[in-house]
Amino acid sequence: MRQPAQRTKKEGSGTQGKTYMLRLFVVGDESNSKQARENLVKICEEHLKGDYKIEVVDVLNDFEAALKSNILLTPALVVVSASPPVTIFGNLSDTEKVLSALGLTGGKS
Amino acid sequence: MTRQRRKKKTGASLTKQRGLKKVATCVAGLDDILNGGIPRGRTTLVSGGPGSGKSVLGMEFLYRGALSGEPGIFVTFEERAAALRQSALGFGWHLAPLEEAGKFFLMEARVDPEAVLSGTFNLKGLLAIIEGKATAMGANRIVIDAVDVLLRLFDDPARERNELYALHDWLLDREMTTVLTVKVSKDTPTSARYEFLDFMADCVIYLDQRITEQINTRRLRVLKYRGSGFGSNEHPFVITEAGINIIPLLATGLRHKGLGRKVSTGHPRIDSILGGGYYRGSCILITGTSGTGKTTLASTFARVSCERGQKVLYISFEESQDSMVSCMLSPGIDLRQPLKAGSLQFLTAIPESMGAEEHLIRAFRAMEAFRPDHVILDAISACNRMGSEAAAFDYLMRLINACKEQGVTIVLTNQATGLKEEQEISGIGISSLVDAVILLRYNEIGGEINRTLLVMKSRGSKHSNQYREFLITDQGIDVVDVYVGEGGMVTGTARYEQEEREAVEQRVREHEIKRKEHEVIEKRAELEAQTAHLRAELEGAEAALESLQMEKGVYWRGREARGKMRGEGLDSSRLGTKRKGAGGKGGPK
């Protein structure tokens, strides 16, 4: 019964690149999901310079969406805008791996 | 107090028993082994090597459930949904209509190998999906196939275990009847890594597939069943074109029906040798070396039984139906008619083509569909080629048992390899199940081979102990009368010669007797003739003697008379002597 979709959108300086469409699958308010949400916001703030769009899906409310994206493990982040879409499982604590999956390897260094 | 305690205990165990409800799997034979089915609302672990039939077992459980209106969810971590649908179709299981009707849900839960792992995660997504689907469908049966693939993602034994316990708890909370399959290595029933699964699950089934002598054999074993009894043996099973089929080795031999009435063997003389024929529902073994007429004898029985309106299932491991039919035409046994009429059915297969279980299932299926009165198995010696002697023994034991349970007569033929049939009579060690043994043999006498037949054993009836000569003619089989001549039994030409020789001797003897009889008559006639002659001579002599004596009397009377007249007594001594001598001579008259 959490907010089903939390959208965070920021119009920022760099509009030159594509917009990252991100879908985060969480399970209610269990700890891993909370952490994932926090980690994602942090990464996005730091590396995507506001050029992103996050959709949060609570699988407890919408299992069909999880089924469609084959989300068996949670939390999970799907980079919808990438082709093919990339799936990252886990609470996103490993920033390097997330950046690499977003195609921003070594972006921070 | 003790009584009270005991009462309490029984009460508790009763509730426990009552608490354990079972769900029939409807997998052929499995429910018998599990005393009813798998535990309801609990987890059953099915482990086994790759290709041992775990997925098929799970799929069949759900499919049969769905058919009877019980919705089920199949979660696969390894195979693709399309591939599973295809293989299900191979068993004749049409999943699509059930999926449309909401009775079956196939979830391809493959984790994208390209997926990135970052930080900790758990199975909640999967559980949410299952829960959502289960609620929507009203399903409480679930199969989670190849859970090991899922667990491998965690890459940490401790986490694997935690996640699986979480999954298990979750399933228990929702009272899902679960089948969890896990791949294990071939050598050990459960690898150390997934040993905890055994402790966790309420029921553990292990599937094993091994190759013995190039033939695939499958075994199923129940390792544990909390709160329930189960058949703890290894049970052979097969995957047929209709799914899994397990043959429980349970009450084997306890449900045999008694022997029935006698039925004709197809030849009146063999009937009489056997004391009336074969017993219905008995097991008859016809044994002998190649070409002694085993198949002919068995086919005769088949033909005659069909004529009587009974049904015969002919299981042939030696020849095809066509070749059998044409071979039997030569001794005048026409099997085409009963085949056409549907009273005779052939079940032919090369022994090597499949494992013993599969052969057995085929036979059982045929028996179930055809309901024969008699089964002929030609030949048990070929069964050894099903893999091992143990497999052949298993096959025969179960087939004979099944026949005896159903009151079906079973005629086995056995090809003995040498001339030491006596030792091989039991074939593959099934002699205790065999009620009658007919030994067919070759006898070599005087440069020719003849067939003989001997009933070596016939339970429950008198039988002849004589070897009989047994012929295969254009009009079928025939048995020659018991040989009552001198010496041991002889057959064929030798018997003919012997009989001829004896006949000649007999004639010679008779001739001699006749001759002697004549001689006796002649001798007697001669004797009589001579006797008559002698008597005549004797009579002549007697007559002569008499007349001489008469003459002598006349002489003496004349002398006395003359003496008296001439004055007798002058010389008395001389006279006395003279008289004395004359008196001695004439004394006897």
Side-chain angles (χ1 to χ4, degrees), chain A residues 27 30 32 59-60 63-64 66-67 70-75 86-95 97-98 101, chain B residues 77 105 107-111 114-126 128-129 132-133 136 150 153-154:
Chain A
V27 185
E30 54 109 34
N32 268 330
V59 295
L60 294 180
F63 75 89
E64 295 280 2
L67 184 59
N70 205 21
I71 302 304
L72 312 173
L73 308 170
T74 46
V86 176
T87 307
I88 307 161
F89 292 115
N91 62 7
L92 309 179
S93 59
D94 189 337
T95 313
K97 278 198 170 166
V98 179
Chain B
F77 290 110
F105 177 62
M107 178 180 173
E108 185 181 306
R110 284 157 42 90
V111 174
E114 301 282 301
V116 179
L117 301 180
S118 167
T120 53
F121 51 85
N122 53 38
L123 291 173
K124 295 258 167 62
L126 172 71
I129 294 172
K133 264 290 167 189
L150 177 73
L153 283 172
F154 293 98

Side-chain angles (χ1 to χ4, degrees), chain B residues 199-211:
Chain B
F199 300 117
M200 188 190 80
D202 284 282
C203 175
V204 179
I205 298 170
Y206 175 60
L207 304 182
D208 173 36
Q209 185 185 27
R210 39 189 117 135
I211 307 285

Side-chain angles (χ1 to χ4, degrees), chain B residues 28 64 91 238-245 313 345 347 358-372 399 406:
Chain B
R64 304 231 176 264
F91 296 116
V238 285
I239 299 177
T240 69
E241 64 269 25
I244 287 188
N245 206 327
L313 176 68
Q345 208 175 76
L347 185 69
E358 219 160 331
H359 278 295
L360 193 61
I361 297 292
R362 264 173 52 112
F364 282 177
R365 281 250 223 64
M367 281 173 68
E368 209 169 300
F370 184 51
R371 301 235 157 255
L399 185 62
Q406 295 169 34

Side-chain angles (χ1 to χ4, degrees), chain B residues 253-328:
Chain B
L254 296 175
R255 296 182 294 228
H256 286 184
K257 288 194 177 166
L259 298 180
R261 288 182 179 182
K262 297 253 183 174
V263 283
S264 172
T265 61
H267 192 276
R269 225 162 238 165
I270 299 177
D271 288 350
S272 79
I273 294 169
L274 278 162
Y278 302 140
Y279 272 117
R280 248 192 109 130
S282 71
C283 174
I284 301 107
L285 175 65
I286 303 172
T287 188
T289 49
S290 176
T292 44
K294 301 178 297 293
T295 301
T296 311
L297 189 57
S299 298
T300 305
F301 175 60
R303 177 85 180 97
V304 166
S305 297
C306 290
E307 273 169 14
R308 275 195 300 262
Q310 294 168 333
K311 289 198 280 186
V312 178
L313 176 68
Y314 200 116
I315 303 172
S316 173
F317 289 123
E318 305 275 7
E319 284 182 279
S320 72
Q321 176 177 327
D322 289 345
S323 97
M324 269 291 303
V325 168
S326 65
C327 281
M328 284 303 117

Side-chain angles (χ1 to χ4, degrees), chain B residues 39-106:
Chain B
R40 180 191 292 276
R42 295 184 169 269
T43 304
T44 298
L45 180 72
V46 178
S47 63
S52 59
K54 304 180 296 294
S55 307
V56 182
L57 183 79
M59 182 68 87
E60 187 163 2
F61 163 57
L62 289 189
Y63 170 75
R64 304 231 176 264
L67 279 187
S68 62
E70 275 290 333
I73 298 172
F74 192 99
V75 183
T76 169
F77 290 110
E78 196 168 42
E79 283 185 85
R80 291 193 173 275
L84 276 170
R85 283 197 186 91
Q86 192 62 39
S87 75
L89 211 58
F91 296 116
W93 305 337
H94 297 272
L95 301 179
L98 293 169
E99 285 178 285
E100 277 164 32
K103 293 291 176 199
F104 185 83
F105 177 62
L106 182 56

Side-chain angles (χ1 to χ4, degrees), chain B residues 336-546:
Chain B
R336 290 171 300 188
Q337 166 60 28
L339 267 173
K340 212 169 158 192
S343 50
L344 175 66
Q345 208 175 76
F346 274 93
L347 185 69
T348 57
I350 301 168
E352 292 90 341
S353 63
M354 48 189 125
E357 291 82 34
E358 219 160 331
H359 278 295
L360 193 61
I361 297 292
R362 264 173 52 112
F364 282 177
R365 281 250 223 64
M367 281 173 68
E368 209 169 300
F370 184 51
R371 301 235 157 255
D373 297 280
H374 315 293
V375 171
I376 294 170
L377 176 63
D378 189 13
I380 62 170
S381 33
C383 294
N384 277 333
R385 281 154 45 205
M386 286 177 190
S388 62
E389 219 166 282
F393 174 74
D394 214 54
Y395 172 82
L396 288 170
M397 271 276 292
R398 283 145 162 265
L399 185 62
I400 295 170
N401 269 319
C403 286
K404 290 198 163 191
E405 278 175 23
Q406 295 169 34
V408 172
T409 320
I410 180 161
V411 177
L412 312 168
T413 70
N414 179 38
Q415 179 161 328
T417 43
L419 282 169
K420 50 180 167 76
E421 302 103 315
E422 281 84 356
Q423 285 116 53
E424 292 173 32
I425 246 110
S426 52
I428 312 168
I430 45 150
S431 57
S432 63
L433 289 172
V434 174
D435 298 297
V437 178
I438 297 174
L439 172 63
L440 300 182
R441 230 178 164 175
Y442 276 136
N443 270 28
E444 196 187 326
I445 298 173
E448 69 171 32
I449 289 239
N450 295 294
R451 295 181 173 93
T452 58
L453 177 149
L454 175 71
V455 175
M456 292 203 39
K457 166 180 178 180
S458 180
R459 256 184 209 155
S461 64
K462 283 184 183 168
H463 63 90
S464 166
N465 66 347
Q466 294 290 310
Y467 268 101
R468 303 294 180 99
E469 184 169 3
F470 165 70
L471 304 173
I472 298 178
T473 69
D474 292 348
Q475 280 81 46
I477 53 173
D478 200 7
V479 175
V480 182
D481 279 334
V482 174
Y483 179 69
V484 289
E486 290 168 30
M489 185 201 179
V490 281
T491 55
T493 312
R495 176 172 178 167
Y496 174 76
E497 282 175 357
Q498 174 85 4
E499 282 173 351
E500 280 299 292
R501 199 158 44 237
E502 282 175 19
V504 168
E505 279 169 13
Q506 192 63 25
R507 276 200 294 279
V508 168
R509 214 177 288 126
E510 275 169 17
H511 183 71
E512 186 76 4
I513 288 167
K514 282 236 167 73
R515 212 170 57 82
K516 280 284 173 203
E517 274 172 2
H518 276 288
E519 202 182 304
V520 166
I521 291 166
E522 274 168 24
K523 285 271 183 217
R524 184 168 290 134
E526 199 182 316
L527 173 75
E528 277 166 8
Q530 282 183 4
T531 312
H533 181 70
L534 282 172
R535 189 168 287 140
E537 275 183 4
L538 175 69
E539 280 169 3
E542 276 174 348
L545 176 66
E546 206 171 324

